[in-house]
Amino acid sequence: MKLSENTPKIYVGTYGMYNNGSLYGKWFDLSDYTDTEEFLRDCYEYHRNEFFSNGCRPELMFQDWENIPDMLISESSLHENAFKYFEAISEMDDDSADAFQIYCTQIVNWPYNGNDLSETLEGFQESYQGYFGKGNDPKTDFAYQYIEDTGLLSGAPESLERYFDYEAYGRDLFLEGYSEYEGYVFIDQ
């Protein structure tokens, strides 16, 4: 997995150490691993001195993390599809990666909706229209792009075109058919 400066990292300690007043642990850079199993194996190897006499492994505690969406991590677990997600976003530009996270968390509730990542990516590619948050009103900016792309006003006299209310048309587009989250626009599914 090759990612930018936004590499996912986890500070891994154990509940046993924490309960004894220690935050002893290590930052693990997830770009060093290909899957969850390999990552966990390394975590247990790092904390090997805490194996109990009965052979039980220590309970890992993810005390801090960076660049990992909350949908994939909690204090005691990393979702089994986390590395597939990281691989998918590593192939996207920053706007698309941010939009994909919004799509997963706010639109389709992945990974908890039962769909696999390939289905989710396919739905995202069909739904995502782009980032329009650079101006004052993403809905109006999208309306300009939509009208240009569809040729809605092509053939209309220029004198009539300048009276077209892009802001109102943008509002209407988002009443039914489109949604906007933080400047990212999606077709409703």
Side-chain angles (χ1 to χ4, degrees), residues 4-128:
S4 65
E5 69 278 353
N6 297 326
T7 301
K9 300 174 185 176
I10 303 175
Y11 187 81
V12 181
T14 66
Y15 281 99
M17 293 293 287
Y18 180 79
N19 289 336
N20 288 322
S22 173
L23 294 177
Y24 175 78
K26 175 184 171 185
W27 278 102
F28 287 85
D29 182 332
L30 297 188
S31 67
D32 294 338
Y33 305 97
T34 57
D35 60 27
T36 306
E37 185 177 313
E38 183 183 7
F39 162 68
L40 291 175
R41 187 174 33 245
D42 220 16
C43 291
Y44 287 123
E45 174 62 25
Y46 181 77
H47 290 287
R48 68 185 171 277
N49 62 332
E50 295 179 54
F51 275 75
F52 299 107
S53 59
N54 63 5
C56 292
R57 294 189 261 192
E59 190 175 4
L60 299 176
M61 181 181 192
F62 301 150
Q63 297 170 340
D64 197 7
W65 52 84
E66 297 176 356
N67 304 313
I68 302 173
D70 289 342
M71 67 191 180
L72 296 174
I73 192 166
S74 69
E75 186 178 275
S76 60
S77 69
L78 181 65
H79 196 278
E80 63 185 324
N81 289 318
F83 285 89
K84 291 177 184 177
Y85 175 88
F86 298 140
E87 185 64 33
I89 65 168
S90 73
E91 298 170 5
M92 298 177 184
D93 62 49
D94 289 343
D95 280 344
S96 294
D98 290 344
F100 185 58
Q101 181 177 341
I102 289 169
Y103 180 80
C104 289
T105 58
Q106 297 184 37
I107 298 174
V108 296
N109 195 30
W110 183 86
Y112 305 103
N113 64 2
N115 292 347
D116 65 23
L117 185 61
S118 62
E119 288 176 295
T120 304
L121 277 167
E122 188 177 306
F124 169 72
Q125 291 163 349
E126 291 172 5
S127 179
Y128 181 53

